[in-house]
Amino acid sequence: MNKHEANDVLLSTQIVIEQALMRLGYDQTMIELLKEPMRLLTVRIPVRMDDGSTKVFTGYRSQHNDAVGPTKGGVRFHPAVTENEVKALSIWMSLKCGIADLPYGGGKGGVICDPRTMSFLELERLSRGYVRAVSQIVGPNKDIPAPDVMTNSQIMAWMMDEYSRIREFDSPGFITGKPLVLGGSKGRETATARGVVIMIHEALRLKGIALENARIVIQGFGNAGSYLAKFMHESGARVIAISDVNGALYNKDGLDIEYLLDRRDSFGNVTNLFPKTITNAELLELECDVLVPAAIENQITEQNAPNLRAAVVVEAANGPTTLEATRILTDRGVLLIPDVLASSGGVIVSYFEWVQNNQGYYWDEQEVDDKLQIMMKRGFEHVYDIHRTRKVDMRLAAYMAGVRKMAEAVRFRGWV
Ligand code: GLU
C-alpha cells in the first residue's frame, strides 16, 4: 500500500475483512460477497434554500449485508462524505452489530453538505428530502437509520415524520436516536460515551491501573468526547486534555470539565476561548494512561504512532487509526480497543430503542445502562479472547468476532 492508499478507509477495511474471513476458514467467494456492500444507492436531493434558490445535494445509503437481519446505521451530514467512506462505514456497522450480537447487518448513509452553514429550515428540508430519496430501500424491517456525525435527534424526528407520512402510519421503529417524546430511548444520547467508559474500565483492569490514578486524553468534544469527559471526570479519573476543531487544552493536573462543558453549551466552542492551547497533533502525543480519539478518521498514523505515550488507546471515533499505525502500536505493547468494539454503545442502545418501539413498552434508564454494560463487556471478553488465543492483533480479533455471525447466516441461507 502506498501512503495515499493507507488512509483509504474502504481499502483498509477490505484488507482486514479478508484476513478475518480467511482465519475463520472461509473461501474467496465469501470474501467477494462481504468485502463490498450488497447495495449502494446514490441520490440527488433538491432543496429549496431560504433565499429562494434551489441547491442540489448528493446523498448515499449503503447496505452491507442483510443475511442476519435488517441493516442498521447512522446518516452523517458532512462536506467530506464520499461514496467509499459510506461503504466502509456500513461494513463497520456490520462488525459492531456482529460483536454485540444484534440481529442486524450494517448500513450507513451520508449527505455531502455543511450543516454549520445551513439554517434550521434548510436542514429540515434536506432531512426530509433525504428520506424521500431513499424511502424505497429503508424501513423498520429493512434498514434503520440513526444519528451520526453532525446529525441529531431533531433531524431523526424530521426523518421519522417524513417516513411516517410516506407510509401513512406512525413508524417510530424506522429510525433510532429520536427525541424521547417521539419514542426515543432513555440513555441513547449518552450511549456511545457510556460504552467507551465500560471499555476504559476493562482496559485499565487488564493494565493494573486504578481509575483514580488514570490520566485520560480525549481528542474531540462532540457527542462521544464531551459525555466521556464528563463521565470520566465524575468517576474520579483525571481528564488532562481535550480538544475540538480549533485546538486542544492541556493541564497535567486535570481540567475543570464541568466548566468546559458549560462554556461549550454557551458558546458552541471551547478551546478558542482560552489563550494557551496546544494543537490536536500535540495532544495525541501527550503522556497518559488512556488516549481516546473521539473525532475523525486517520488521526493515528505511521508518522505519530511511534511517538504516542499512552498505555491504552480506546477508539471512540470510527476509523481513527490506520492499519500501519495499528501494527506499530501493537508491536509497542499498547492495548488498542478498536472502534468496532469501543464505539458500539450507540448502536446497542439504538437496538434497545427499536425493540422498545416494536413492543410499545419503554424501559427506565437503569435498565438500558445495565443491559448495555452486559453486552459491551461480553463483546470485550469475546474479542480479547480471540486476540489471546488466536494470537492476532485486537483489530483483527474484533473483525473476526464481528464478521463470523454474518458469514454463518450467509451460509445457512444458502447464498454462498
Ligand atoms: N452512528 C452510530 C455509529 O456509528 C450509531 C448507529 C446506530 O445507532 O444505528 O455507530
Side-chain angles (χ1 to χ4, degrees), residues 72-74 93 96 108 144 146-148 176 188 318 343 346-347 350:
K72 175 96 193 77
M93 286 311 303
K96 291 186 198 191
K108 197 75 164 206
I144 305 130
D148 198 77
T176 59
R188 175 63 185 85
N318 286 313
S343 74
V347 70
S350 272

Side-chain angles (χ1 to χ4, degrees), residues 15 18 43 55 62 88 90 93 131 140 149 166 180 192 211 225 251 265 267 280 285 306 316 321 325 331-332 338 341:
I15 290 170
E18 175 161 359
V43 294
K55 210 166 154 187
S62 170
S90 69
M93 286 311 303
V131 169
V149 175
I166 294 169
L180 285 178
T192 309
L211 187 67
N251 182 338
D265 293 342
F267 297 99
N280 260 289
E285 297 183 14
T321 312
D331 288 351
R332 294 186 53 216
L341 169 62

Side-chain angles (χ1 to χ4, degrees), residues 160-191:
M160 193 277 271
D161 184 65
E162 191 65 24
Y163 186 82
S164 298
R165 286 185 193 198
I166 294 169
R167 294 280 173 259
E168 295 182 337
F169 55 80
D170 194 40
S171 312
F174 154 64
I175 203 162
T176 59
K178 299 179 293 294
L180 285 178
V181 292
L182 291 179
S185 176
K186 299 219 170 77
R188 175 63 185 85
E189 172 94 8
T190 51

Side-chain angles (χ1 to χ4, degrees), residues 254-311:
L255 295 164
D256 185 346
I257 296 299
E258 270 150 43
Y259 176 69
L260 297 177
L261 286 168
D262 182 61
R263 297 292 87 183
R264 198 269 318 261
D265 293 342
S266 314
F267 297 99
N269 282 315
V270 205
T271 58
N272 54 355
L273 300 170
F274 296 86
K276 240 179 92 218
T277 57
I278 59 172
T279 64
N280 260 289
E282 287 166 334
L283 167 136
L284 293 172
E285 297 183 14
L286 289 171
E287 190 184 338
C288 62
D289 298 297
V290 184
L291 170 64
V292 184
I296 48 170
E297 287 142 24
N298 295 328
Q299 294 301 295
I300 304 175
T301 63
E302 61 190 299
Q303 274 77 43
N304 61 9
N307 310 330
L308 257 54
R309 288 180 291 161

